[in-house]
Amino acid sequence: MKIDFNKYSSVKIGGIFEVELIDETSEFDGVMIGGANNILISPNPPKMGILDSKFDYIKLENGVLKIGAKTSSAKIYKFAKDNNLGGFEFIKKIPGTLGGLITMNAGIKEYEISQNLKCVSTSKGLKSSSECEFRYRGSNIDGVIFEASFEITKEFDDELSDYLNQKRDNQPNGASFGSCFANPKGDYAGRLIEAAGLKGFRIGGCGFSHKHANFLINYGGGTFEDALNLINLAKERVWEMFGISLRCEVVIL
């Protein structure tokens, strides 16, 4: 199937490319794109794949929630809230599908997708949570993710949900990756980028937001080169000024 990444990706950058549809639990030797929420597509990307809609499902069985890897964060949040299932209060405003959320160990503050995870079904076999080697905004999962199972141990906390989602109200609107860089230990990437003089700075059609410096926004007509140059500039400036190496959360293809 062909996908126009100028329309499909969250940052609205990329051309029209052939993407292999994965409709069975087999191995794939390319890059899975999921919802393309933190992916920057170059003019010459590698082989890419996307899961079939058969992997978009949620099943509750004996206190275990089984979720297909193509299921969106919004759908998971709504299911958890409607069925009074705790542990998913934080994902309402984190865009993406479950496969990407798990790969990146997505979260807000001290809450992460890996916390109630029992196991992950992948093209390399069934992996327990401990085998995935989760860390801050990352994991060591090898292969294509097809499904994840979560243990439900508490009820949905509406107050916690409201509190965590208010924390994301300061995030700017527009075509972006979400957070561009992971926060260094004991600091914030947005603070460092702003201190380096890059808040609101633009190259071509892309720029770091005036509202939150860790958000790279495509204001219209932004290109792969515009975004990549901004990412590299932020890394260079922050390293020169603070001796801190920013880790980019964006997957550059």
Side-chain angles (χ1 to χ4, degrees):
M1 63 183 293
K2 289 186 181 295
I3 291 180
D4 184 353
F5 286 93
N6 282 309
K7 297 177 180 178
Y8 183 71
S9 70
S10 62
V11 77
K12 307 304 180 191
I13 292 174
I16 300 173
F17 297 104
E18 190 71 33
V19 179
E20 186 171 333
L21 186 66
I22 311 299
D23 62 359
E24 56 184 40
T25 54
S26 58
E27 190 58 79
F28 177 66
D29 60 354
V31 179
M32 297 298 293
I33 62 168
N37 286 281
N38 70 328
I39 292 177
L40 178 60
I41 305 290
S42 76
N44 187 32
K47 181 179 178 181
M48 296 181 288
I50 190 169
L51 288 178
D52 185 85
S53 58
K54 67 187 285 185
F55 296 103
D56 180 358
Y57 60 82
I58 305 177
K59 304 174 185 175
L60 182 59
E61 301 174 351
N62 301 318
V64 175
L65 196 64
K66 295 184 177 182
I67 307 176
K70 194 179 176 69
T71 312
S72 71
S73 56
K75 185 174 181 178
I76 297 168
Y77 176 86
K78 185 178 187 305
F79 186 93
K81 183 175 175 64
D82 290 348
N83 291 275
N84 197 26
L85 309 176
F88 300 93
E89 292 87 351
F90 64 93
I91 68 169
K92 182 178 182 180
K93 293 186 178 180
I94 301 178
T97 55
L98 182 66
L101 298 179
I102 289 176
T103 301
M104 296 297 294
N105 193 20
I108 302 175
K109 297 178 73 66
E110 66 269 30
Y111 299 92
E112 296 175 328
I113 195 72
S114 60
Q115 287 173 339
N116 297 313
L117 183 69
K118 287 173 63 66
C119 58
V120 180
S121 175
T122 79
S123 56
K124 301 285 189 181
L126 194 65
K127 307 290 184 183
S128 67
S129 179
S130 60
E131 289 178 295
C132 296
E133 298 181 17
F134 288 108
R135 58 186 181 276
Y136 171 66
R137 299 300 172 267
S139 69
N140 194 35
I141 299 175
D142 190 20
V144 181
I145 297 173
F146 297 109
E147 180 187 86
S149 297
F150 297 86
E151 187 173 11
I152 304 301
T153 61
K154 56 189 176 181
E155 297 181 344
F156 191 90
D157 188 333
D158 285 292
E159 288 188 9
L160 176 62
S161 176
D162 291 341
Y163 167 73
L164 292 174
N165 287 301
Q166 284 172 6
K167 291 293 181 183
R168 298 180 72 84
D169 284 344
N170 70 326
Q171 294 186 350
N173 296 319
S176 78
F177 306 105
S179 296
C180 191
F181 298 98
N183 289 324
K185 189 174 182 179
D187 211 330
Y188 296 96
R191 186 198 75 80
L192 293 167
I193 295 167
E194 182 174 355
L198 295 178
K199 188 175 186 179
F201 184 82
R202 294 194 187 192
I203 295 178
C206 294
F208 289 114
S209 171
H210 286 282
K211 189 173 183 181
H212 193 310
N214 195 23
F215 276 67
L216 192 159
I217 307 293
N218 179 1
Y219 291 101
T223 66
F224 171 78
E225 289 77 15
D226 294 341
L228 185 63
N229 287 337
L230 276 171
I231 289 170
N232 289 333
L233 180 61
K235 287 181 176 180
E236 292 167 8
R237 287 271 188 96
V238 169
W239 175 256
E240 289 170 359
M241 294 184 67
F242 305 104
I244 294 175
S245 179
L246 286 180
R247 178 168 67 87
C248 189
E249 289 191 294
V250 178
V251 178
I252 301 170
L253 300 181

